[in-house]
Amino acid sequence: GNIGKDNSTIFLRAETASGNPVGEFVQVEVDAKNSDGHIETAVDMGKDLKIWSEHTPNVYRMNVLLQSSDGVDRKTYDFGFREFKANGTRFEVNGQPVFLRGTLECCIFPLTGYPAMQNDYWAKIYRTCKEYGLNHVRFHSWCPPEAAFHVADSMGIYLQVECGGWAEVGSGKPQDQWLKEESNRILEEYGNHPSFCMMVYGNEPGGADQVHYLSGLVDHWKKKDPRRVYSSAAGWPYVENADYWNTPDPRIQAWGAGINSIINREAPRTDYDFAGKIRSDMPTVSHEIGQWCVYPNFKEIDKYTGVLKAKNLEIFKETLADKGMEDMGEKFLYASGRLQTLCYKADIEAALRTSNFGGFQLLGLSDFTGQGTALVGTLDAFWEEKGYVTPEEYRRFCNSVVPLARIPRLVFENDEKFVAQIEAANYNEEMQNPKVCWIVRDGTNKIVRQGKFSISQIAIGNRQSLGSIEFNLKDIEKPAQLTLEVLIDNYANNWNFWVYPTEKEIVNSNDILLTDYLDKTAIKRLNNGGKVLLSLKKGTLKDEYGGNLAIGFSSIFWNTSWTNGQAPHTLGILCNPKHPALAAFPTEYHSNYQWWDAMTHSAPIRINKVSKEAQPIVRVIDDWFSNHPLALLFEVKIGKGKLLAVSYTHLTLPTIA
């Protein structure tokens, strides 16, 4: 306030969030003639001071009253007691290691078009983050309003704030000075909030001199307000004086990787991590991991009752109907949602398996409605569930304590051994004599194997080794999908794996003809009432039938529109698990890892180009921009016979002489 021309008095009283006075009442006399307007004083907070963290979000208020000849001026400030710093390659809050499990807030508010200024909407956002096991929010290229900080303080959320830039920097253009001034305003206005733990200039800068400019900003911020950690920008560049590195390197799908990413290129496993992608001189936080898409939820259209309308979703719904699949939208949503969840689980668990890692920032827990429509959220743009995964399931692999399994393979034959190394990521508190056990169940929930580990303590951190599992699979005589579940006290996580018998059923070649082409022999067999299995080799399908569609195991990354058609172009499979064609191939209605080999060695068939009546046995879900009816496996009648067509290049059919 204005100290005025005459002597003034400042009164300070601290209190808890509930309004209870804390510590001493302070009165400071100010000599107006000899004051420059800045007053420093100490307030004794007493002996029962409580610290702030995600686990203990203790917030205080400082009531400040200025009494002068001009009258009385009052203001209240939120604050807390916490130390958030880098220690080697890890972050610590109040001396305890912390792992950032974060998502982005991209200033998407569909009803108003501007950020919420009320506490209740921010409480909804942060409460949902915590329900899904997160403790961190990055504000992509913007600084939120006071309410966002106030609620984050009370709920224990670590915030990364940015100065409103996604720009060229360091070139001497006006934004260079503006960004520095804006950062000063942010620090002065919001710097007391304990949730304000991290700051960068903004997102993915351009400019040849960006390193020099951003390094200077980091130095400026550290000197101005050392109460948090600072870095150059989200994404890049690395600067030596930063407190941490925010980089896109540690993730399982990079921009431009297409089907050459680890989840698409390599057979399913859970034993990889990002050890080779983190720095040794400061904490590494992964930038915008995930970006896994799901099919649109057309029920969301009715939620747009404010300034924005979901014209994009309306167009996608109309084009789906134009392709004769109006009734498939919800089925596509749920099937692709299960694959999306699997992809996020893989990304998050790889991060949790990585030693000395600072944390991750998802893109994202909620949808991004711009850039061609990036449906990357487990939640919609209103931070609400879509219906295919619950918070309880998500917290199994994203939480302060997560059981983890390093499994070198997920698909076996029954003359092999199942092997897994079990470990924990623990960022809650040291666990004394925890109950640790593992259970393997089959598709009927029958226990196949089980065991337990005798563990005296699980320290804080990841790579906490718990033991190993190894057993033969010889008593699995029929194709089976099994589930390994690991439990640590009240925390549990699970992984599917598959076992197939080495002795295959022999099929008489006189009954079924296996062929790569519909040649004269195949046509003659069909006309005579025979059965033909057509295996369409990858690369032989003409473009009009889908030969130009790139299929991989994973979901679409970001979207095909904004990435200029980056592969994969599809969203997994949809099938009827009870169909006779899948009798010896245990599956749910959606993609899981047993489909990896088929998906990575196939090209989806545009079935409407083959037949207007045929219904796929196994559908492939196209992206929402084109909505082609696609098949991996279908059956049609030709002549008196039956043709079963599959676009799987590895298919072989054992025969007898």
Side-chain angles (χ1 to χ4, degrees), residues 462-476:
N462 53 7
R463 291 305 297 269
Q464 304 295 316
S465 180
L466 303 180
S468 60
I469 299 171
E470 182 175 326
F471 56 86
N472 290 314
L473 300 167
K474 60 183 179 181
D475 54 345
I476 311 296

Side-chain angles (χ1 to χ4, degrees), residues 206-362:
D209 293 323
Q210 58 180 269
V211 170
H212 176 74
Y213 169 80
L214 294 170
S215 180
L217 268 187
V218 169
D219 274 341
H220 171 71
W221 296 334
K222 285 183 175 183
K223 292 174 184 176
K224 182 177 179 63
D225 191 344
R227 293 178 292 178
R228 64 195 50 81
V229 294
Y230 299 101
S231 191
S232 57
W236 57 77
Y238 168 75
V239 298
E240 292 182 355
N241 61 329
D243 292 315
Y244 67 102
W245 188 42
N246 201 181
T247 172
D249 291 346
R251 60 190 193 193
I252 64 174
Q253 181 85 24
W255 189 283
I259 56 176
N260 290 314
S261 61
I262 189 169
I263 194 170
N264 285 299
R265 182 187 71 247
E266 298 187 19
R269 57 191 179 96
T270 70
D271 60 347
Y272 54 87
D273 59 37
F274 304 134
K277 298 182 178 182
I278 63 173
R279 296 198 65 86
S280 59
D281 57 344
M282 65 179 66
T284 300
V285 179
S286 56
H287 167 74
E288 298 182 358
I289 77 165
Q291 306 190 39
W292 300 117
C293 286
V294 66
Y295 197 78
N297 180 12
F298 298 133
K299 290 182 179 179
E300 187 183 341
I301 294 172
D302 293 339
K303 294 183 179 182
Y304 284 78
T305 59
V307 298
L308 300 180
K309 301 299 179 185
K311 294 297 182 181
N312 53 344
L313 300 183
E314 291 175 9
I315 292 171
F316 305 147
K317 185 177 180 180
E318 290 168 4
T319 58
L320 184 67
D322 290 343
K323 297 295 176 64
M325 297 185 291
E326 187 173 10
D327 61 335
M328 299 301 295
E330 191 167 10
K331 296 176 182 177
F332 287 169
L333 166 68
Y334 281 88
S336 63
R338 294 306 298 167
L339 174 59
Q340 179 203 48
T341 303
L342 188 75
C343 292
Y344 274 115
K345 176 178 165 71
D347 244 326
I348 291 170
E349 288 186 350
L352 290 171
R353 289 192 298 265
T354 305
S355 293
N356 303 315
F357 195 26
F360 61 81
Q361 295 168 341
L362 296 175

Side-chain angles (χ1 to χ4, degrees), residues 352-386:
L352 290 171
R353 289 192 298 265
T354 305
S355 293
N356 303 315
F357 195 26
F360 61 81
Q361 295 168 341
L362 296 175
L363 185 55
L365 188 63
S366 59
D367 280 338
F368 186 84
T369 52
Q371 292 191 355
T373 309
L375 301 170
V376 297
T378 297
L379 307 172
D380 63 23
F382 300 83
W383 290 83
E384 294 172 352
E385 292 182 36
K386 298 180 182 179

Side-chain angles (χ1 to χ4, degrees), residues 186-206:
I186 290 170
L187 292 172
E188 289 167 7
E189 185 70 23
Y190 304 121
N192 293 326
H193 289 281
S195 59
F196 185 3
C197 297
M198 310 166 74
M199 190 169 83
V200 301
Y201 114 89
N203 190 62
E204 301 174 356

Side-chain angles (χ1 to χ4, degrees), residues 7 61 159 190 209 403 409 501 565:
N7 289 355
R61 291 194 297 257
L159 304 183
Y190 304 121
D209 293 323
R409 294 171 54 198

Side-chain angles (χ1 to χ4, degrees), residues 86-114:
N87 184 0
T89 63
R90 307 307 305 267
F91 292 117
E92 290 182 352
V93 60
N94 308 320
Q96 177 173 314
V98 61
F99 188 88
L100 298 176
R101 305 179 305 279
T103 188
L104 272 59
E105 213 309 309
C106 297
C107 203
I108 296 173
F109 296 87
L111 296 182
T112 60
Y114 61 82

Side-chain angles (χ1 to χ4, degrees), residues 118 166 179 250 263 284 297 343 386 396 432 447 495 581 605:
Q118 298 77 31
W166 188 355
L179 286 164
I263 194 170
T284 300
N297 180 12
C343 292
K386 298 180 182 179
R396 291 173 78 89
Q432 305 297 329
I447 295 177
W495 302 265
I605 304 165

